[in-house]
Amino acid sequence: MNFFRRTLIPFAAAALLLGVAVAQTPAPTPPRPSPVPRPVVPDAPVPPPPDVDGKSWVLMDYATGQILASKEPDLRVEPASITKIMTDYVVSAEVGNGKIHMTDPVTISENAWRGGGAGTDGSTSFLKLNSQVPLKDLLYGLIIQSGNDAAIALAEHSAGSEQAFAGLMNAYAKQLGMVNSNFENASGYPIANHYTTAHDVAILSRALIHDFPEDYAISAIKEFEWNGIKQHNRNTLLWRDPSVDGIKTGHTAAAGYCLAASAKQGDSRMIAIVMGASSEKARADSAMALLNYGFRFYETHKLYDAGKPQATPRLWKGQANQLPIGVADDVRVTVKRGDYDKLKATMDIPATLIAPFKKGQQVGTLRITLAGQPVQTVPLVALDDAPQGGFFSRLWDSILLWFHSDKKADTDAK
């Protein structure tokens, strides 16, 4: 024992002083828990869309404009205050064209003042007779408060009269491809020959989001105060789901409860239009069910980049021997999850292409199908100018063309 104290203890102390490491037994590593097994998602077919409350409805993918699901999409119905989406679009377009301005003072006429309490559901921004209100504030009142007085005042300021403004509404509707709509007023109060469809409202909603994103953003604001009166946005989905950021509600006894709603999750945006629901809650529940269905069971893919050559067919009588062709805009398609690999794309290009061609000129057609059914048809255009060649090159190509078969090429796309 004395030997242990005299020998080992001094040795350990010296080792510490000299920085010599003394080996220690490491603590045992606790066992890692086994990963919790997760169920495998079954490879099941996409279910049918929900059976929602509404006389007619549409679910549209924003990126492609494709209708993913619908019921009576082209049934003509009374739009009620959904009309104000068209009013918003026209006013935004007129501002964008420099014909009117957000800072314009707008005089509230007796017609607008009286219209504030007599429209689709009595919705009003409480504008004062003969007062002047900045156009921007009227736009907020139109979109957030659904003010009939704001709608009429904007119409009169934009076109001189509400009747003339209705003419602008119909002109813009025709330009957008709304083939089953006709507007007679700016607010949506019931009147003969004033109608639209769920499909047309979806087209209009998509155009508003794309063409005027700053004005569209107003529809996400939950409340607006004017003349000391604060009113809430009637789109209750803004409080229910943070991905919802628009668009507009509507209601009359004849039209029922209507809602145009849009939501964005990640890079995807969906648009749901419900016309003629039985209650305020039913229209919100129906639109939310459609939006959720779209996000859960559909996906969008970009197939082709704008301006990238997809084919370089032979060009005759040109300065160049080939003509690069492609698409003018990115091509995207929306399909049910799991169907991407089933897509097929073919290019229809004439076998004989004779110069000249201008950049952007249509040369052929890109057809995208799924299980033999058409999904999308896109023009194929010349990506560069292709002027004629010189006299002798054109003469030589004319000789060669005698031996060339003039048939349309049908080629699988890259």
Side-chain angles (χ1 to χ4, degrees):
M1 186 67 179
N2 290 335
F3 173 79
F4 176 80
R5 290 178 176 175
R6 290 195 304 270
T7 306
L8 296 182
I9 292 178
F11 174 79
L16 290 172
L17 290 173
L18 294 173
V20 178
V22 179
Q24 296 182 355
T25 303
T29 303
R32 294 182 179 179
S34 301
V36 178
R38 296 183 177 181
V40 177
V41 178
D43 186 15
V46 173
D51 184 17
V52 301
D53 184 326
K55 184 183 297 183
S56 62
W57 52 263
V58 159
L59 174 65
M60 174 185 280
D61 173 70
Y62 167 76
T64 62
Q66 289 175 235
I67 301 298
L68 308 182
S70 65
K71 173 188 173 183
E72 300 286 356
D74 297 317
L75 176 68
R76 290 183 178 181
V77 295
E78 293 188 28
S81 280
I82 293 290
T83 298
K84 289 165 184 156
I85 304 176
M86 189 77 245
T87 302
D88 180 13
Y89 187 91
V90 174
V91 171
S92 298
E94 294 295 287
V95 170
N97 290 328
K99 295 182 179 180
I100 54 177
H101 307 87
M102 285 289 190
T103 56
D104 286 353
V106 179
T107 301
I108 309 305
S109 69
E110 182 174 354
N111 182 43
W113 175 70
R114 290 188 182 278
T120 57
D121 50 8
S123 51
T124 176
S125 293
F126 297 99
L127 304 175
K128 293 182 178 181
L129 178 62
N130 296 325
S131 64
Q132 288 195 324
V133 181
L135 187 147
K136 182 177 179 180
D137 289 337
L138 289 177
L139 199 58
Y140 274 64
L142 170 81
I143 299 168
I144 303 169
Q145 299 170 334
S146 194
N148 297 320
D149 47 359
I152 298 170
L154 286 168
E156 292 176 341
H157 182 74
S158 300
S161 69
E162 189 175 9
Q163 183 179 8
F165 186 80
L168 283 178
M169 296 171 78
N170 291 320
Y172 277 105
K174 182 178 180 180
Q175 180 176 286
L176 293 173
M178 299 169 63
V179 296
N180 288 306
S181 296
N182 188 74
F183 299 98
E184 294 291 334
N185 60 59
S187 65
Y189 61 82
I191 188 173
N193 209 35
H194 187 88
Y195 57 83
T196 189
T197 67
H199 189 183
D200 279 2
V201 175
I203 292 172
L204 172 62
S205 300
R206 181 173 183 247
L208 178 67
I209 297 169
H210 178 271
D211 296 347
F212 308 108
E214 292 183 1
D215 292 341
Y216 169 73
I218 299 172
S219 65
I221 299 174
K222 295 180 178 179
E223 60 185 27
F224 179 63
E225 181 176 332
W226 178 257
N227 199 21
I229 301 172
K230 181 183 292 184
Q231 296 189 73
H232 294 288
N233 195 313
R234 300 183 183 208
N235 183 2
T236 58
L237 293 185
L238 296 175
W239 285 266
R240 188 187 299 189
D241 190 317
S243 70
V244 176
D245 54 12
I247 308 172
K248 189 75 190 70
T249 63
H251 170 256
T252 63
Y257 291 85
C258 308
L259 175 59
S262 182
K264 186 176 182 182
Q265 294 184 10
D267 293 331
S268 297
R269 176 181 287 280
M270 296 287 167
I271 297 171
I273 311 299
V274 177
M275 308 297 286
S278 60
S279 68
E280 184 176 333
K281 182 178 184 302
R283 73 183 177 190
D285 290 346
S286 297
M288 196 74 254
L290 290 173
L291 292 171
N292 287 335
Y293 175 79
F295 287 124
R296 172 63 182 84
F297 294 111
Y298 285 83
E299 57 189 3
T300 300
H301 297 270
K302 184 168 76 168
L303 302 185
Y304 301 101
D305 293 319
K308 182 177 180 180
Q310 301 302 325
T312 51
R314 174 73 160 90
L315 179 66
W316 300 89
K317 300 185 180 182
Q319 291 183 3
N321 291 327
Q322 292 181 320
L323 176 66
I325 63 175
V327 292
D329 301 300
D330 291 345
V331 176
R332 293 179 170 85
V333 296
T334 301
V335 294
K336 294 178 180 179
R337 294 190 183 277
D339 279 356
Y340 174 71
D341 293 335
K342 302 175 185 177
L343 290 170
K344 182 179 180 181
T346 58
M347 295 185 295
D348 296 339
I349 307 169
T352 304
L353 297 175
I354 300 177
F357 286 96
K358 289 289 187 181
K359 182 177 180 180
Q361 180 179 342
Q362 182 170 354
V363 177
T365 303
L366 173 68
R367 304 183 191 279
I368 302 168
T369 60
L370 176 65
Q373 297 300 313
V375 174
Q376 197 171 154
T377 301
V378 183
L380 288 168
V381 300
L383 298 180
D384 294 309
D385 288 334
Q388 284 186 334
F391 172 77
F392 289 106
S393 65
R394 285 187 282 121
L395 178 63
W396 177 247
D397 278 357
S398 296
I399 297 171
L400 293 178
L401 279 171
W402 283 96
F403 306 97
H404 180 71
S405 177
D406 188 11
K407 296 180 180 178
K408 182 180 68 173
D410 188 358
T411 311
D412 288 344
K414 299 177 182 179

